[in-house]
Amino acid sequence: MKHIWISLILIVLALLGIFYGFRQPQEMADEEEDLIVIGMSQVGAESDWRVANSESMKQVFSEENGYRLLFEEARQKQENQFSAIRRFIQQQVDYIVVMPITEIGWESVLQEAKEAGIPVIVADRKMDVEDPSLITAHVGADVYAEGRKAVIWMEETFKDQPQVNIIHIQGTLDSTAQIGRTQALENGLAANPNWNLLSRMQGDFTQAKTYEVMTEYLRSVDSLPVIDVVYCENDNEAFGAVEALESFGYRCGPGGVAVISFDATREALQYCRNGKIALEVECNPLLGPLVEEVIQILESGQELPKTNYVPKEEVFTPQDITDELLEQRPY
Ligand code: AHR
């Protein structure tokens, strides 16, 4: 009888050992600390806006605030975002937050997250999926509306000019910010017969790529054209465009090229104040608090609207920019 009891105790101990042995030390620590675990997949660090966006997320999803953040940067590659999401599923995180590089191609990986019962919150850019149940919520700006603000400014500024020569630098193709801002310009071109698109190039939201494509273009033309507007789809593209234009002898500012940009980061506002950027349309990168709001609503079991646009985005021209504004700009 004594032997039977000892065997039973040994079996129970072995089972307990197997159970705890399979569990990750991290998982056990999280349980103890009672943190909400967030798996977050970021596009990369292609722009100043993106860096500010990552910073905002890290600030909000800190241990002091009750979270464990597993943060992965995808270096501008969708495959890297897929792998990160799959790792988060394996780690059984509580929520997955994705800032997607492009809109398409997400169905399979989102289906896997849904089957694992993990809510997916999409931030900044959107995902284009047929089944809306794959996404719990979207937090981000209305980028078409941003583009419209730029187009309205162009219509007003150049209304008496018989021909307006425009260069368009697009962001990462198939990303929401590119699609919306490009669509607004397309509609402006269709509605204003005096607008003449000289060239359209891909700047991939980076300064280096924009400098390269702009320089190539200016080298390739027989004679340097009159350029009235360079419509850049973000600030880093605007920096690259200004650099290239100036190296070919163009002047950016009143009476010269009007560079239009989106984001309104501190450095770009400085360019705008100096006149090198004629118009800044704000795109707010500080999405951390809004994503947290969504997670807190979900935690409390309340109903959630699927789309939460970022409220209040402004437009700046050189005369709007004061020392105070620059000092207080958080990014
Ligand atoms: O998706 C938002 C855009 O992506 C920002 O305008 C840009 O700077 C970033 O890289």
Side-chain angles (χ1 to χ4, degrees):
M1 192 61 185
K2 196 176 160 200
H3 283 119
I4 293 173
W5 276 112
I6 291 172
S7 306
L8 271 174
I9 288 167
L10 285 175
I11 289 167
V12 170
L13 285 175
L15 284 173
L16 283 173
I18 289 167
F19 177 68
Y20 282 107
F22 277 135
R23 297 172 75 216
Q24 302 294 318
Q26 187 62 72
E27 203 181 314
M28 290 163 70
D30 289 341
E31 239 175 52
E32 276 161 29
E33 292 170 41
D34 213 14
L35 298 174
I36 299 173
V37 183
I38 312 282
M40 185 172 287
S41 169
Q42 176 61 287
V43 171
E46 77 285 3
S47 64
D48 298 355
W49 186 100
R50 185 68 52 200
V51 172
N53 179 249
S54 297
E55 205 37 56
S56 165
M57 298 293 181
K58 287 175 187 170
Q59 260 176 26
V60 167
F61 295 107
S62 63
E63 296 207 357
E64 304 80 76
N65 291 344
Y67 300 95
R68 180 178 302 287
L69 178 63
L70 310 176
F71 185 89
E72 294 212 20
E73 260 182 27
R75 299 189 311 282
Q76 298 261 69
K77 289 201 167 48
Q78 192 182 33
E79 312 87 80
N80 292 343
Q81 295 207 285
F82 292 158
S83 318
I85 294 169
R86 292 198 166 105
R87 272 193 294 278
F88 298 148
I89 295 172
Q90 272 176 2
Q91 289 164 298
Q92 298 174 12
V93 298
D94 297 311
Y95 296 93
I96 293 176
V97 178
V98 188
M99 282 69 92
I101 177 154
T102 53
E103 290 201 350
I104 48 178
W106 296 97
E107 260 85 2
S108 316
V109 76
L110 291 187
Q111 190 60 43
E112 290 167 38
K114 186 178 172 182
E115 279 158 20
I118 304 174
V120 175
I121 297 158
V122 178
D124 170 31
R125 302 173 187 173
K126 292 183 181 169
M127 290 179 181
D128 183 7
V129 288
E130 261 179 36
D131 175 0
S133 76
L134 295 177
I135 295 170
T136 303
H138 173 247
V139 172
D142 181 346
V143 289
Y144 177 75
E146 292 170 358
R148 275 294 300 154
K149 291 177 193 168
V151 166
I152 290 166
W153 181 87
M154 284 166 69
E155 286 175 340
E156 184 53 33
T157 306
F158 296 101
K159 61 175 184 289
D160 299 324
Q161 196 165 305
Q163 181 164 314
V164 186
N165 285 343
I166 301 168
I167 288 182
H168 177 195
I169 316 276
Q170 292 181 293
T172 306
L173 291 184
D174 298 326
S175 68
T176 306
Q178 177 272 314
I179 295 169
R181 293 167 190 167
T182 293
Q183 190 56 55
L185 181 62
E186 281 290 312
N187 293 352
L189 283 160
N192 293 279
N194 60 331
W195 290 12
N196 173 39
L197 184 66
L198 287 177
S199 180
R200 172 169 282 152
M201 316 164 200
Q202 268 93 58
D204 211 12
F205 289 126
T206 72
Q207 180 164 352
K209 183 74 193 303
T210 304
Y211 177 77
E212 183 190 315
V213 292
M214 192 75 178
T215 303
E216 254 168 44
Y217 166 74
L218 294 171
R219 260 196 212 123
S220 72
V221 286
D222 291 336
S223 61
L224 291 177
V226 172
I227 303 172
D228 298 298
V229 174
V230 180
Y231 182 99
C232 299
E233 291 187 353
N234 84 338
D235 283 346
N236 293 77
E237 290 188 346
F239 302 153
V242 169
E243 198 185 342
L245 286 163
E246 289 184 342
S247 73
F248 278 79
Y250 286 92
R251 202 165 49 78
C252 300
V257 184
V259 175
I260 291 178
S261 183
F262 297 86
D263 287 351
T265 55
R266 193 188 305 110
E267 191 179 351
L269 289 178
Q270 189 68 61
Y271 269 60
C272 185
R273 182 194 167 96
N274 298 340
K276 292 195 180 201
I277 292 178
L279 179 76
E280 268 294 341
V281 181
E282 186 173 40
C283 178
N284 189 343
L286 306 181
L287 303 182
L290 289 162
V291 174
E292 191 193 24
E293 213 176 297
V294 167
I295 288 174
Q296 286 305 324
I297 294 173
L298 292 170
E299 285 289 300
S300 69
Q302 290 170 53
E303 274 290 304
L304 187 78
K306 281 240 173 218
T307 295
N308 309 270
Y309 285 130
V310 175
K312 196 168 165 284
E313 290 187 330
E314 292 180 47
V315 163
F316 302 96
T317 54
Q319 56 276 13
D320 302 320
I321 297 166
T322 59
D323 284 344
E324 204 191 351
L325 175 75
L326 290 172
E327 274 158 28
Q328 287 173 3
R329 197 76 180 158
Y331 52 89

